[in-house]
Structure formats: C-alpha cells, structure tokens
Amino acid sequence: MSKTTQITELSVNGQSHQIEADVDTPLLYILRNDLELNGPKFGCGLGECGACTVLIDGVAARSCVLPLRSVAGHDITTLEGLGSSASPGRVQQAFIDQQAAQCGYCLNGMIMTIQALLNRNPHPTEQQIRQELKYNLCRCGTHVEIMAAARQAAQSEQ
C-alpha cells in the first residue's frame, strides 16, 4: 500500500464494504469499478452535469468530486439502492410510467436528485422541483417527461 492507500469501510445501499484504495480516489470510481454499481455515470468529471449523483445520508451529492476519505462513516445510496427492476422505487416507477428517458444517461442524476428532494420535502411544488433539477443536464430534451415523472413521484405515496 502507498502512503495514501488505506482500507476504508463504506456503507453502500445498506451493505458494508472494505475498500483498499487511495483515499483521494473519487467515490464514483469506487462505486463503478470496485463495487460494479453502474447507476452513477461519469459525465463531466467536474460535478457539474449530475450524471454521477448519489445520496450521502439522504442528500444528493456528486460522486465524481467526492474523495473516498470524505464518505467513510456515511450512508451512500446509489440508483441500485432505490429499487430493482422487479420492484422499482417511487421515483424510478414514475420515470418508467412517464417514459422519461431518451438516451438515459442523465437519468441517474435526475432520479437521485428528485429522491433527495422528496426525502426532505415529500410533496414539493413544481417550482421547487424545477429549482432542484436546475443543475442536472439532459442533452436529449426529455425535460417535459422528466418534469411529469417528478410531479408524479411527488404526488404518489411513499
């Protein structure tokens, strides 16, 4: 092990993992490469597009700019932790129902951002939804369907 490599214990989707890596490794790399979780995507690498969004203790965070050392001791939730194809979570089901995907690359960030909003405000207004999604990029133009999915999730019972 190098002087910055250490074993870090992570709680991801309710499971404990021991990760041996450089403490400055971006969380996104650990999630995708070590834990084989493909929900979070590499988009810009600068924390600006939202494709890599995960929940840290229920709050949306950009995993491409979070070093491993900053997330030890916190609960990390990825898209895979919200539900499964057989039993999608509330927000995931709304995105399916509203067909809110074209290429799908941004959806991880959109879904995780809406989930974080619903965690703190179960029934947000449309303006609050728009404000929350303000920094998530979708280049395919499915904004109408994404907003419909977010409204559906906000109106459904958890």
Side-chain angles (χ1 to χ4, degrees):
M1 287 197 283
S2 76
K3 64 181 175 181
T4 60
T5 298
Q6 66 182 43
I7 296 176
T8 303
E9 182 144 349
L10 293 182
S11 173
V12 180
N13 299 329
Q15 295 183 356
S16 181
H17 300 274
Q18 301 252 332
I19 304 297
E20 183 178 336
D22 187 302
V23 296
D24 290 323
T25 302
L27 174 61
L28 177 63
Y29 298 174
I30 301 298
L31 295 173
R32 290 186 61 84
N33 300 336
D34 294 273
L35 301 181
E36 299 179 357
L37 297 168
N38 294 315
K41 305 285 187 255
F42 183 90
C44 65
L46 301 170
E48 299 203 4
C49 73
C52 68
T53 303
V54 298
L55 303 181
I56 306 292
D57 298 331
V59 177
R62 306 298 169 97
S63 65
C64 71
V65 294
L66 284 175
L68 178 59
R69 66 181 142 70
S70 72
V71 295
H74 295 277
D75 290 320
I76 302 162
T77 305
T78 68
L79 186 67
E80 295 87 350
L82 297 183
S84 65
S85 58
S87 181
R90 172 183 180 186
V91 180
Q92 291 168 317
Q93 187 62 57
F95 273 71
I96 293 166
D97 292 348
Q98 297 299 324
Q99 298 179 10
Q102 191 160 348
C103 85
Y105 207 81
C106 71
L107 286 191
N108 173 78
M110 300 288 185
I111 291 170
M112 299 308 285
T113 298
I114 293 301
Q115 183 64 57
L117 172 62
L118 296 177
N119 287 350
R120 66 178 195 280
N121 180 358
H123 300 287
T125 66
E126 179 149 347
Q127 183 57 36
Q128 290 168 323
I129 293 168
R130 287 183 185 281
Q131 183 64 33
E132 199 74 9
L133 290 173
K134 185 176 177 178
Y135 299 106
N136 287 79
L137 302 180
C138 172
R139 291 175 176 86
C140 295
T142 60
H143 295 90
V144 171
E145 293 85 354
I146 289 167
M147 284 301 298
R151 284 192 303 270
Q152 177 182 323
Q155 293 167 357
S156 66
E157 292 302 313
Q158 212 163 356

